[in-house]
């Protein structure tokens, strides 16, 4: 190993340690921190992240990267080391473009904004949040100016979460999805509705947890390198691939949400547990994007866990645990009930068939805000109009409308599109795996997920950030981002479920 | 505030954030970390502590301290700022004396040593641990050479844990304690033994936890700024005074150990929760020494929770929870049973009357090792001889003898004495509080600990590191370190318990 590479790895190793420490501190905040600790924790995490940033943006790192560029001149551009240098250079150039005082200002705005959003949501008063959102829009516009002009100003924001994917990519996908998803929902809405009252009654919480744990274990979650806890908002976090933690919650009278939520987070967790250990302390040892991350959680949650094959295996065990509620419910009735489509106001409660419409609405509004085509004061009206247009619903309150998501209050503009990208990619991967492994559905119906997990590990998990999201899709499927597999999956599945 | 002070506080603030982050990471390792995460966590904590050290030992910090020394020339030497400068200077000079390569070597030795100790203890094979212990003794001797010569080489080690207290202080105390404690134990051993079989039967664990929680709440532990979890080895840790965590464990057939253990850790926790918030992010915002820390835990565990007054209030509630075990046990029988004296091989299981003898044995052996009066190869024999001399027992195995404690395996030489200092100081504080507050025992018998807690807060907790341990004792009691109050307490209490 060359001396510059060795020196760079020492620095990147310490940065990785700090990022992992920050991830654990943030996990703790959501899971076990006593309420009085919030201010102390905020300062701790702030300092840890700041030092990680400072260790990275030094002239020394730039000098090492310059030397390594020379060294890599003749090397295979797809070798681990060449990719490490490329990815680190990309991170470095981005990190150097954003001035320290801007980062500090953004942190101040964030702190006030998040509190204001919580209060505004509780009080159902958009005006309380409005000035903070306006400041964030200004900040985002300023942020964009630090980077070279792109085809679309929103590109710069999107690139934070989905590197290499552009607004044009997203718009093309949305143009394909929108009419067919709207059409499908109308079609299903005209059919006789599915009876699912047995899914909205009390279920014993402890039994649901133990059932969820069984499913997550069957997926291949490694409990010696991970754990599951309760939290108000479910999430997954990797403190390195040897310590990956998921959280879940039980909602009374919504028994299935604990199961689907656990499977969703375990899908994220398998990605983190499957990262290449050789990349653990440098730039390649993390998920390549939020879209690819979401493709993993959605694949397990929807393609696997909402399939008939899955429940062929698991339904008897569930029935046995909940005889009172499920004794008289056939597999077929159960399968249709868990796939009931019901347009609703709240994104996080949306079913598969309507979810993307929630996302499109947000992406369109936030890109309009960033471009100045929409003013923050007109946002609640614009939200209501779009909800009516896409889902045929109008929110009764702003709390159930424009104030429902945390993302804008923490300045995460450009994030929403990754949810829909994840959905599409999950179907593309599913088809590619099915082509490579014709026994796919037979395996699932036996509760055997080993081939799927191994295929995802090799294709998606292990490379981490070595490949850009589009490269991951290309390598796994032989093609580019494509909305068609997901649309076909939706149309075929839901027309069957609704007997249409 | 002067510019140098402002600059220093920014640096100390970031260092405090890193130290708190490391404390939380270490808590997590003991409480929730999945086993596979050990190596990743070790690296994280190592990097966080290393960066904290590097931020501190810069020339810039030295320059700021020089400027501040000048500024403080005319100031009250007991003002917060003057003390901050003094304490920070002391820390700085110590930190600068130890070369970075020594710290790194010590970390390497530690990592191998701890593993070897675990294996040696399990295999009951001292030889496996011996070379590691020899390396640590060498390292400790080298460490001592970085500091100015002291009256006794062991002084330098002791100063790490009990600043300002010397080997001569400790030897004088031991010389007073040893004969009277040995004599007391012989006396009690000759009396009819106490019947305590009802304390060595199964008790429902959940009820023990809820009872412990009630006691800890009555002590004044603030649950909005703290929490309690299970762990293999009970401990307390402060991640700042707004997030203080204790851990406890239940030992089957030893019901009281959960209660006394919780009270012990809560005693430590009250110290951490009571630190002055104004010191939170600089050098004064921590406990002044391990001895003073232990004085808090031992005061609550022994002076309070093993007193008759305490159980006058709490025993009916315990009896009500455990009617099967305690219905026919009077308060007097219960009180005598929890104070049964029984010389044993294991320090952490030792009762009040024998505990200090375990400590003396260790301090004498480790100072002999450091001075070269004892070779590591002769240590197991020396241990056996001393145990026979002090407690009339000979360990059946090295696992129950020289290998029982973790301290030497992590290089914590100089630590043990603080346990005994804590015992002595707890009795000194108890007497001082009794003099200031004559209703002390009446309050305890009513379960009212508010006056005690407030007095400890003002006297011990709030100042943190502003005062050295000896100053804390002086300010609280008007005198110096004194073994007499603890000896009188032991002799009076245990002669009464044993009807001697």
């Amino acid at each position: 190993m060359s001396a510059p590479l060795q020196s760079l790895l020492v620095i990147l190793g310490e940065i990785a340690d700090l990022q992992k420490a920050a991830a654990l501190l943030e996990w703790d905040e959501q899971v076990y921190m006593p309420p009085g600790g919030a201010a102390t924790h905020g300062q701790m995490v702030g300092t840890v992240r700041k030092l990680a940033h400072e260790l990275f943006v030094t002239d020394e790192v730039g000098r090492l990267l310059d030397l390594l560029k020379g060294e890599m001149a003749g090397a295979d551009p797809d070798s681990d080391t060449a990719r490490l240098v490329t990815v680190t250079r990309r991170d470095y150039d981005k990190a150097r473009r954003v001035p320290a005082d801007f980062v500090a200002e953004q942190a101040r705005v964030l702190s006030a904004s998040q509190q204001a959003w919580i209060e505004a949501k509780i009080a159902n008063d958009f005006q309380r949040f409005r000035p903070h959102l306006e400041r964030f829009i200004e900040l985002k516009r300023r942020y964009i100016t630090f980077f070279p002009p792109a085809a679309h100003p929103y590109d710069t924001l999107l690139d934070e979460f989905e590197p290499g994917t552009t607004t044009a990519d997203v718009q093309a996908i949305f143009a394909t999805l929108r009419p067919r998803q709207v059409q499908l929902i109308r079609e299903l809405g005209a059919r006789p509705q599915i009876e699912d009252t047995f899914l909205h009654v009390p279920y014993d919480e402890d039994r649901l947890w133990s059932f969820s744990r069984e499913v997550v274990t069957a997926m291949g979650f490694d409990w010696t390198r991970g754990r599951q806890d309760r939290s108000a908002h479910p999430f997954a976090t990797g403190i390195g691939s040897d310590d990956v933690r998921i959280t879940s919650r039980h909602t009374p009278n919504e028994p299935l949400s604990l199961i689907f939520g656990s499977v969703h987070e375990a899908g994220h967790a398998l990605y983190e547990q499957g990262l290449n250990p050789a990349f653990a302390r440098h730039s390649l040892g993390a998920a390549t994007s939020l879209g690819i991350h979401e493709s993993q959680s959605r694949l397990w949650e929807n393609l696997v866990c909402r399939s008939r094959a899955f429940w062929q295996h698991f339904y008897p065990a569930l029935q046995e645990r909940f005889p009172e509620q499920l004794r008289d419910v056939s597999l077929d009735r159960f399968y249709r009930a868990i796939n009931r489509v019901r347009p609703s106001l709240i994104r996080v409660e949306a079913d598969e068939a309507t979810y993307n419409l929630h996302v499109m609405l947000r992406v369109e509004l936030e890109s309009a805000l960033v471009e100045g085509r929409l003013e923050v004061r007109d946002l609640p009206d614009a939200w209501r109009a779009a909800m009516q247009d896409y889902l045929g619903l109008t929110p009764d309150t702003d709390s159930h409308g424009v104030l429902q998501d945390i993302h804008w209050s923490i300045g995460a503009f450009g994030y929403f599109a990754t949810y829909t990208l994840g959905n599409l990619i999950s179907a593309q991967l599913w088809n590619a795996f099915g082509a490579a492994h014709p026994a796919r559905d037979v395996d699932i119906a036996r509760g055997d997920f080993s081939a799927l997990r191994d295929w995802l590990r090799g294709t998606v998990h292990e490379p981490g950030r070595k490949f850009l999201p589009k490269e991951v899709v290309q390598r796994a499927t032989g093609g580019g981002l494509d909305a068609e597999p997901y649309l076909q999956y939706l149309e075929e599945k839901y027309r069957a479920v609704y007997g249409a």
Side-chain angles (χ1 to χ4, degrees), chain A:
Chain A
M1 195 185 292
S2 74
L5 182 56
Q6 247 172 327
S7 301
L8 183 67
L9 287 176
V10 168
I11 298 167
L12 295 180
E14 293 195 345
I15 293 169
D17 289 336
L18 292 178
Q19 301 292 15
K20 288 171 190 172
L24 181 57
L25 299 177
E26 286 167 341
W27 170 86
D28 184 80
E29 279 172 32
Q30 302 299 319
V31 182
Y32 290 119
M33 182 188 76
T40 302
H41 278 246
Q43 273 172 328
M44 279 197 302
V45 174
T47 293
V48 171
R49 292 230 184 263
K50 173 175 169 282
L51 291 174
H53 180 79
E54 287 173 2
L55 286 180
F56 190 47
V57 296
T58 61
D59 295 341
E60 171 66 5
V61 169
R63 195 185 64 81
L64 293 170
L65 286 168
D66 289 342
L67 289 172
L68 285 165
K69 190 182 175 187
E71 281 184 25
M72 291 297 125
D76 171 7
D78 282 352
S79 71
D80 289 353
T81 306
R83 285 287 179 137
L84 169 64
V85 173
T86 308
V87 169
T88 308
R89 179 92 234 176
R90 196 175 77 216
D91 292 346
Y92 181 77
D93 290 341
K94 281 181 97 162
R96 291 268 286 198
R97 282 176 179 278
V98 184
D101 61 353
F102 178 86
V103 174
E105 190 183 342
Q106 189 164 254
R108 281 193 300 276
V109 171
L110 190 153
S111 164
S113 164
Q114 205 178 347
Q115 192 50 40
W117 169 72
I118 291 168
E119 290 167 14
K121 191 174 174 182
I122 291 168
N124 185 34
D125 179 5
F126 179 74
Q127 295 308 320
R128 289 200 201 179
F129 180 48
R130 180 181 150 185
H132 300 275
L133 187 52
E134 284 168 344
R135 290 187 67 191
F136 255 134
I137 301 291
E138 275 169 42
L139 280 175
K140 292 297 152 183
R141 288 183 187 152
R142 194 156 16 121
Y143 176 84
I144 290 166
T145 64
F146 301 140
F147 293 86
H152 196 287
Y154 192 71
D155 284 353
T156 306
L157 304 181
L158 192 56
D159 201 70
E160 273 293 278
F161 303 102
E162 205 63 22
T165 301
T166 65
T167 311
D169 295 328
V170 169
Q171 283 170 339
I173 287 160
F174 284 6
T176 311
L177 286 177
R178 194 183 298 104
R180 280 168 66 184
Q181 286 210 236
V182 168
Q183 166 60 21
L184 177 65
I185 290 159
R186 290 203 181 132
E187 225 179 287
L188 304 180
R191 301 285 309 167
Q193 288 310 291
I194 291 169
E195 200 279 306
D196 67 349
T197 46
F198 59 91
L199 290 184
H200 303 284
V201 295
Y203 279 60
D204 179 72
E205 184 174 346
D206 287 343
R207 287 189 197 168
L208 285 170
W209 278 97
S210 88
F211 182 81
S212 299
R213 202 178 153 96
E214 267 175 41
V215 173
V216 166
T217 304
M219 288 169 64
F221 182 80
D222 181 350
W223 295 97
T224 69
R225 299 188 295 130
R227 48 180 295 115
Q228 182 181 26
D229 297 271
R230 289 168 162 77
S231 75
H233 302 284
F235 67 100
T237 192
I239 300 133
S241 60
D242 286 332
D243 183 357
V244 179
R245 303 180 182 199
I246 61 175
T247 73
S248 309
R249 70 169 164 207
H250 171 62
T251 310
N253 295 338
E254 295 291 340
L256 272 289
S257 81
L258 177 57
I259 299 168
F260 290 124
S262 297
V263 169
H264 179 98
E265 301 308 336
H268 283 305
L270 288 181
Y271 191 177
E272 298 282 334
Q273 287 190 334
L275 291 166
N276 187 342
F279 299 169
R281 291 178 83 238
H282 66 53
S283 318
L284 303 185
T288 191
S289 76
L290 291 191
I292 299 294
H293 229 312
E294 196 73 5
S295 78
Q296 301 305 292
S297 56
R298 302 294 277 183
L299 185 150
W300 286 99
E301 179 191 354
N302 291 331
L303 284 295
V304 175
C305 191
R306 284 185 213 270
S307 73
R308 189 189 296 268
F310 178 90
W311 290 104
Q312 273 171 25
H313 178 77
F314 280 101
Y315 189 55
L318 190 71
Q319 248 180 334
E320 200 180 312
R321 271 201 176 77
F322 299 100
E324 203 186 310
Q325 297 92 338
L326 297 176
R327 191 187 297 109
D328 300 328
V329 177
S330 69
L331 170 63
D332 188 64
R333 254 183 86 200
F334 178 80
Y335 169 67
R336 295 180 71 224
I338 62 170
N339 284 297
R340 180 178 167 148
V341 173
R342 189 181 306 178
S344 72
L345 292 170
I346 308 298
R347 177 185 58 83
V348 295
E349 296 167 7
D351 52 67
E352 269 188 294
T354 56
Y355 196 94
N356 284 337
L357 296 171
H358 287 270
V359 171
M360 286 181 215
L361 177 156
R362 285 154 178 78
V363 173
E364 284 159 13
L365 295 177
E366 72 181 11
S367 59
L369 288 168
V370 169
E371 288 172 40
R373 290 183 286 113
L374 177 65
E375 294 301 317
V376 171
R377 66 167 175 273
D378 299 323
L379 182 61
D381 282 342
W383 182 286
R384 280 188 283 270
M387 276 302 279
Q388 187 57 47
D389 191 23
Y390 286 174
L391 287 160
L393 298 170
T394 298
D396 50 343
T397 66
D398 284 339
S399 298
H400 294 153
V402 67
L403 288 171
Q404 71 182 262
D405 292 308
I406 195 175
H407 303 61
W408 291 340
S409 81
I410 57 169
F413 291 80
Y415 185 125
F416 281 118
T418 67
Y419 291 123
T420 285
L421 294 171
N423 282 333
L424 304 196
I425 296 166
S426 74
Q428 292 187 266
L429 293 173
W430 187 245
N431 289 355
F433 171 63
H437 189 80
R440 180 189 73 188
D441 297 346
V442 179
D443 279 3
I444 304 291
R446 290 187 297 129
D448 178 355
F449 307 116
S450 53
L452 172 60
R453 188 180 60 245
D454 291 349
W455 186 83
L456 289 172
R457 180 151 295 180
T459 316
V460 180
H461 303 173
E462 273 191 356
R465 298 182 75 216
K466 182 173 173 184
F467 301 116
L468 285 169
K470 280 183 177 176
E471 291 178 301
V472 171
V473 172
Q474 179 71 39
R475 290 167 51 88
T477 69
L481 262 180
D482 184 1
E484 200 53 45
Y486 190 67
L487 280 168
Q488 280 175 14
Y489 157 75
L490 279 187
E491 288 166 349
E492 194 177 318
K493 172 174 175 179
Y494 284 93
R495 282 179 184 141
V497 164
Y498 275 79

